[in-house]
Amino acid sequence: MSGEDAPAQQQNAEEQKQQQQQQQEETKTPAESPKTESKPDPPPTSASTEAAADTPAPAAEKAPEEDTFSYRALVLTGYGGYDKVKLQVKKGKPALKSGEVMVRVKMCGLNFADLMARQGLYDRLPSPPVTPGMECSGIIEAVAEDVTDRKVGDKVLVLNRSGMWQEVVVVATTHTFLMPEGMSFEEAAALPVNYITAYLMLFDFGHLRPNQSVLIHMAAGGVGIAATQLCKTVNDVTVFGTASASKHEVISQGGVTHPIDYRTRDYVEEIRKISPKGLDIVLDPLGGSDTHKGYNLLKPMGKLVSYGAANMLAGQKKNLFAVAKTWYQQFSVHTLSLIQGNRSVCGFHLGYLDSETELIAQAMAAVMDLYRQEKIKPRIDSTYHLEQVGDAMRRMQERSNIGKIILTTEPMKEEEKKEEAKKDEEKKKDDKKKDDKKKDDKKKDDTKKEEKKEEKKKEEPKKDDKKAEEKKEEAKKEEN
């Protein structure tokens, strides 16, 4: 497909060029034919691609396109803060292997795993420099010769281990899924990771049935909203959802029966008041002490599904293997109580299921059917340009979103760039003010502490004198 077999024919290149020039003069073909490959019209592109595979001459014409073909990509340049993800330009047209397609990306999804990957906490992302991103949506621009179930122009959503945050991606056809009629590119990019995760946890691990109860942490996030909507597809399921108070109205409208503000209330106590016997299913993206709390909330035959470690972002840095090992050791110590409790603990990570294409395809088919029946619909929180990826990640890490955060590959307009630059300047000033205030507050606190120490030192002699007086008084009383 890429025409890279052409060098084998190089010794005849001079003769072929002369023959081509003679043919062009005879047929009066314009000399600028290589430029036609930048045209958006599919038929000529398809034709030239087929010719490149059959004869060496068109391959020589394809070389300029490969040299000039470029696309923007977000690249994780190292582990650390938001500035470690940079927008770069990649050059050269990606080559297609057997069974692959090339997709012109429209929208990308942002997930919690991407935040962990930026900090070096996600094992499934290759080492930097690397393009993150597990999902996207777009239009197929090219297909390998042996691909028969996809064609140029198909609108697809894509699920992959990494590499989706760029304008052009090449993936196996098994990682692409045709978009249903009426689905937007934003919805398509919001669907794969969140809804497949929620579906497999609730129905494959959880075996969710009518009249059961479910705890959904981070209920206003992408997976939280997906899980809530899927719970609503089963009759009489009671949903407990943790989220900050400002998000309660939205998640209640979405199907959460009992919203709980985890910042001001103990969710364990709140659940016990409403459901003294406990819960049937707990979906745990937090890890740490919350995993133990969730386990203790389970009824007999209840199931806890651990699928993340969000608490890690606010605490100590460990990779997922280390967390899983510690967690397993803690439960292994209490194997007997685990057996006697008649409760099960499961671990789920979609990133480690990328080879289970049949399982993923079945789950995706079920999710797509529910979308067509209008039983589920991704909620889009906000859309950011690739240039604004730092702001997008910050919004998720601060847990400000209600629904899915999307990245669009559409370049920012000049006016937007100017506005963004102004906002950045204002933000820097605000951050400086906050830092200065923190320093001032710290100085004041330190001064107060020193003053208290001095006061204590001054009071100590007085206390000693008082104790001496008290001893004298006691001695007098004893003499009397």
Side-chain angles (χ1 to χ4, degrees):
M1 285 292 294
S2 63
E4 291 181 1
D5 293 331
Q9 313 288 338
Q10 255 179 342
Q11 57 189 12
N12 298 321
E14 293 292 332
E15 296 175 8
Q16 289 169 350
K17 279 186 180 178
Q18 291 174 4
Q19 290 173 4
Q20 279 185 308
Q21 289 172 358
Q22 290 173 1
Q23 289 173 358
Q24 286 173 353
E25 287 175 5
E26 290 172 1
T27 57
K28 298 182 180 181
T29 302
E32 299 91 19
S33 58
K35 292 183 181 179
T36 60
E37 295 192 317
S38 65
K39 286 184 179 180
D41 191 15
T45 305
S46 177
S48 65
T49 305
E50 290 175 10
D54 296 331
T55 63
E61 293 179 8
K62 193 174 181 181
E65 183 194 15
E66 291 182 352
D67 290 340
T68 59
F69 191 96
S70 64
Y71 54 99
R72 300 181 309 150
L74 288 170
V75 178
L76 179 65
T77 57
Y79 300 128
Y82 303 115
D83 60 338
K84 294 297 183 181
V85 183
K86 301 184 185 298
L87 185 58
Q88 299 180 357
V89 176
K90 293 184 178 181
K91 294 183 179 180
K93 191 170 186 178
L96 294 180
K97 297 177 184 176
S98 175
E100 291 184 336
V101 297
M102 184 167 74
V103 179
R104 177 66 61 171
V105 177
K106 296 292 185 182
M107 302 286 169
C108 314
L110 175 63
N111 293 287
F112 223 83
D114 299 315
L115 304 187
M116 298 183 74
R118 195 196 73 239
Q119 296 186 358
L121 302 173
Y122 183 57
D123 308 83
R124 299 301 280 169
L125 187 73
S127 300
V130 62
T131 293
M134 299 172 66
E135 60 192 344
C136 69
S137 62
I139 301 172
I140 290 181
E141 206 167 74
V143 299
E145 290 180 339
D146 60 343
V147 172
T148 57
D149 57 346
R150 298 287 183 271
K151 65 182 184 301
V152 172
D154 280 345
K155 295 180 180 180
V156 293
L157 48 91
V158 185
L159 178 64
N160 207 53
R161 185 189 299 181
S162 62
M164 299 294 96
W165 287 1
Q166 49 191 351
E167 292 177 328
V168 174
V169 299
V170 171
V171 293
T173 55
T174 52
H175 289 222
T176 67
F177 306 89
L178 295 173
M179 288 170 53
E181 196 70 33
M183 178 179 279
S184 69
F185 286 115
E186 289 90 346
E187 289 177 333
L191 191 139
V193 171
N194 292 163
Y195 281 83
I196 290 179
T197 294
Y199 184 89
L200 290 174
M201 288 193 300
L202 286 170
F203 297 111
D204 283 53
F205 269 142
H207 298 291
L208 181 62
R209 298 187 298 278
N211 301 308
Q212 288 193 326
S213 55
V214 181
L215 170 59
I216 301 173
H217 284 294
M218 299 170 67
V223 175
I225 286 176
T228 302
Q229 291 181 2
L230 290 169
C231 283
K232 285 179 66 180
T233 65
V234 179
N235 293 330
D236 301 319
V237 171
T238 301
V239 178
F240 294 84
T242 63
S244 56
S246 61
K247 301 175 181 179
H248 284 191
E249 184 179 353
V250 174
I251 64 174
S252 296
Q253 291 172 353
V256 172
T257 319
H258 302 288
I260 303 170
D261 184 0
Y262 66 94
R263 293 179 177 177
T264 60
R265 295 181 179 277
D266 183 334
Y267 66 85
V268 174
E269 289 182 7
E270 294 299 311
I271 291 169
R272 287 291 184 195
K273 288 176 189 175
I274 300 165
S275 180
K277 290 184 178 180
L279 304 168
D280 295 291
I281 300 172
V282 173
L283 303 183
D284 172 34
L286 303 174
S289 61
D290 288 290
T291 301
H292 295 278
K293 290 177 183 178
Y295 177 77
N296 290 329
L297 277 170
L298 292 175
K299 295 177 181 178
M301 305 306 293
K303 306 171 189 70
L304 181 143
V305 186
S306 180
Y307 70 100
N311 288 336
M312 284 166 54
L313 288 176
Q316 71 275 24
K317 288 189 175 182
K318 293 181 181 179
N319 62 36
L320 289 178
F321 283 121
V323 171
K325 183 179 178 182
T326 303
W327 181 85
Y328 177 76
Q329 286 172 342
Q330 288 170 342
F331 273 103
S332 295
V333 173
H334 305 289
T335 303
L336 186 59
S337 62
L338 184 67
I339 294 169
Q340 293 172 344
N342 289 307
R343 292 171 283 188
S344 62
V345 179
C346 314
F348 179 84
H349 196 300
L350 186 59
Y352 289 86
L353 280 179
D354 52 356
S355 61
E356 300 294 328
T357 53
E358 188 175 344
L359 175 65
I360 298 297
Q362 289 172 356
M364 183 64 82
V367 168
M368 291 293 201
D369 283 342
L370 291 171
Y371 177 87
R372 292 186 186 95
Q373 296 168 35
E374 299 183 353
K375 291 184 177 180
I376 62 170
K377 184 178 179 66
R379 178 189 172 89
I380 309 302
D381 171 79
S382 50
T383 302
Y384 291 83
H385 293 278
L386 295 181
E387 295 91 331
Q388 301 170 304
V389 65
D391 294 332
M393 297 181 96
R394 184 180 291 105
R395 182 169 178 80
M396 178 174 280
Q397 190 150 339
E398 292 175 355
R399 301 188 185 182
S400 301
N401 58 303
I402 304 178
K404 189 75 171 185
I405 297 175
I406 297 294
L407 299 173
T408 175
T409 58
E410 182 183 348
M412 287 181 72
K413 295 176 182 177
E414 286 303 317
E415 294 82 0
E416 291 177 320
K417 286 181 181 179
K418 289 177 183 177
E419 285 296 321
E420 196 68 20
K422 284 181 183 178
K423 286 179 183 177
D424 287 342
E425 283 299 318
E426 289 172 4
K427 191 177 183 308
K428 284 177 184 177
K429 289 178 182 178
D430 289 340
D431 289 343
K432 190 176 182 305
K433 284 180 183 177
K434 287 176 183 177
D435 288 339
D436 290 342
K437 190 177 182 303
K438 283 180 182 177
K439 287 176 183 177
D440 290 339
D441 291 342
K442 191 175 184 303
K443 283 182 181 178
K444 288 176 183 177
D445 289 341
D446 291 341
T447 304
K448 285 180 180 178
K449 285 177 183 177
E450 287 298 322
E451 288 175 354
K452 284 181 179 179
K453 283 181 182 178
E454 290 297 322
E455 286 176 8
K456 281 183 180 179
K457 285 180 181 178
K458 290 177 182 178
E459 288 174 2
E460 279 174 6
K462 291 178 181 179
K463 286 180 181 178
D464 292 339
D465 292 342
K466 192 178 179 181
K467 284 180 181 177
E469 287 294 327
E470 287 174 353
K471 284 181 180 178
K472 285 179 182 179
E473 288 294 326
E474 286 177 8
K476 284 181 183 180
K477 285 179 183 179
E478 286 176 2
E479 286 175 4
N480 294 332

